[in-house]
Amino acid sequence: VNQILLLLLVLTVCAILYNKVHQVPLTLRNEAVDLESPEEMEEEIPVVICAAAGRMGAAVAAISSIYSNTEANVLFYIIGLKTTIPHIRKWIENSKLKEIKFKVVEFNPMVLKGKIRQDASRPELLQPLNFVRFYLPLLIQKHEKVIYLDDDVIVQGDIQELYDTKLAPGHAAAFSDDCDLPSTHEMVRSVGMQNTYMGFLDYRKQAIRDLGISPSTCSFNPGVIVANMTEWKHQRITKQLEKWMQRNVEENLYSSTLGGGVATSPMLIVFHGKYSSINPMWHIRHLGWSPDARYSEQFLQEAKLLHWNGRYKPWDYPSVHTDLWENWFIPDPSGKFKLTRPD
């Protein structure tokens, strides 16, 4: 009996020692999983920005401003043409932006064949990358929600806040209304900007009148978009936009001589009455419409996102509030892109 009890005691001690020895790696394993899981579970925020020839510094400044002002898990989709992709990739990989998460995606301009009416008044608005926003689901396929930004913006707030914009059921996108912020009304009047549909569509054309949209309806700006990809595909938004592009080729329903050029107008038609609103402070615009009209510095400091839409860009001269933009600019390691500044 004593021998049996002794054997049981030895087995018990061995079992205790075995558990203690093997609990250590188990504990460490669990701690490692716990340390890694928040990052793995953190939602990825896809941000789409175009990198066009001659203005890649704009995309770099926009990316730099976003990356520097957030702790969110941002994945940048940088869209370019075949000829420009090597330049932007080298710029990122040889600068302090090398730590960002990004994918470079080639845009094939052949999808626009026969859909753009030639317009000599502002030829820069006809560049293929201006229409990337029409084709978001074809370029960005694994995400439910996507942010699209024009390249001539800088972000001063946390991009997570913009990403958290609520889209109403059935809405494929959220935009900023051009009538939404009283602080911008004086700027709009001073530079002759239009903020209604009359400034974008030719109401002399029967096809436009048949839409039943009042010409005094407030327009919106598609330079900042929060998009729901499921709804976009379900509603065949891309096909609808292409239809109006083709109708414009045939009937000249809108042009860049009007308020917003050829990329805004089809979106105004397709999304009329079917979009959600972005917080106005997340899209302070018209900074590029005049080399003289300026916002107050206090107002700009409070803004979450600044947009130099218009002819006068902050990397060129003349332009306004260039210091705010240049804070985020990273010089081109190859030296190809240079800022235009007065001597």
Side-chain angles (χ1 to χ4, degrees), residues 67-122:
Y67 182 65
S68 301
N69 287 306
T70 188
E71 296 295 326
N73 182 21
V74 180
L75 173 59
F76 293 98
Y77 282 88
I78 302 170
I79 316 297
L81 301 180
K82 187 175 184 179
T83 53
T84 62
I85 283 176
H87 186 187
I88 192 65
R89 186 186 295 277
K90 185 177 179 181
W91 195 331
I92 290 172
E93 292 176 348
N94 290 278
S95 72
K96 64 181 182 181
L97 290 179
K98 62 187 177 184
E99 302 298 328
I100 70 171
K101 291 172 60 179
F102 74 102
K103 293 182 180 181
V104 177
V105 180
E106 180 183 344
F107 182 69
N108 184 357
M110 290 304 295
V111 300
L112 301 172
K113 188 176 181 180
K115 301 183 182 74
I116 301 177
R117 184 183 184 87
Q118 295 305 308
D119 194 323
S121 59
R122 288 193 66 187

Side-chain angles (χ1 to χ4, degrees), residues 127-199:
Q127 296 301 313
L129 295 182
N130 274 341
F131 301 92
V132 160
R133 71 198 90 188
F134 291 13
Y135 297 94
L136 291 176
L138 302 181
L139 298 166
I140 317 299
Q141 298 181 357
K142 71 170 188 173
H143 300 281
E144 169 72 11
K145 197 175 187 182
V146 171
I147 294 174
Y148 167 88
L149 299 177
D150 277 354
D151 60 359
D152 51 355
V153 308
I154 61 163
V155 173
Q156 300 184 138
D158 187 342
I159 198 71
Q160 179 76 55
E161 186 180 328
L162 179 61
Y163 185 75
D164 290 340
T165 298
K166 300 296 184 185
L167 274 66
H171 286 178
F175 306 99
S176 291
D177 285 315
D178 284 329
C179 308
D180 59 8
L181 199 61
S183 305
T184 67
H185 293 174
E186 184 177 344
M187 171 72 81
V188 169
R189 287 193 297 269
S190 68
V191 300
M193 262 289 289
Q194 294 286 344
N195 61 1
T196 65
Y197 272 56
M198 183 181 288

Side-chain angles (χ1 to χ4, degrees), residues 116-123 125-126 194 197-205 208 244 248-249 251-266 268-269 289 311:
I116 301 177
R117 184 183 184 87
Q118 295 305 308
D119 194 323
S121 59
R122 288 193 66 187
L125 297 177
L126 303 179
Q194 294 286 344
Y197 272 56
M198 183 181 288
F200 296 86
L201 306 178
D202 188 347
Y203 275 83
R204 296 171 299 180
K205 302 296 173 67
I208 297 300
W244 283 104
N248 183 58
V249 170
E251 304 174 51
N252 195 20
L253 303 176
Y254 50 83
S255 74
S256 59
T257 57
L258 296 173
V262 294
T264 298
S265 300
L268 291 177
I269 295 171
W289 276 88
R311 296 174 184 267

Side-chain angles (χ1 to χ4, degrees), residues 35-49:
L35 288 171
E36 293 174 5
S37 58
E39 184 176 347
E40 291 174 352
M41 295 172 62
E42 185 181 2
E43 188 172 10
E44 208 166 50
I45 298 179
V47 176
V48 179
I49 296 179

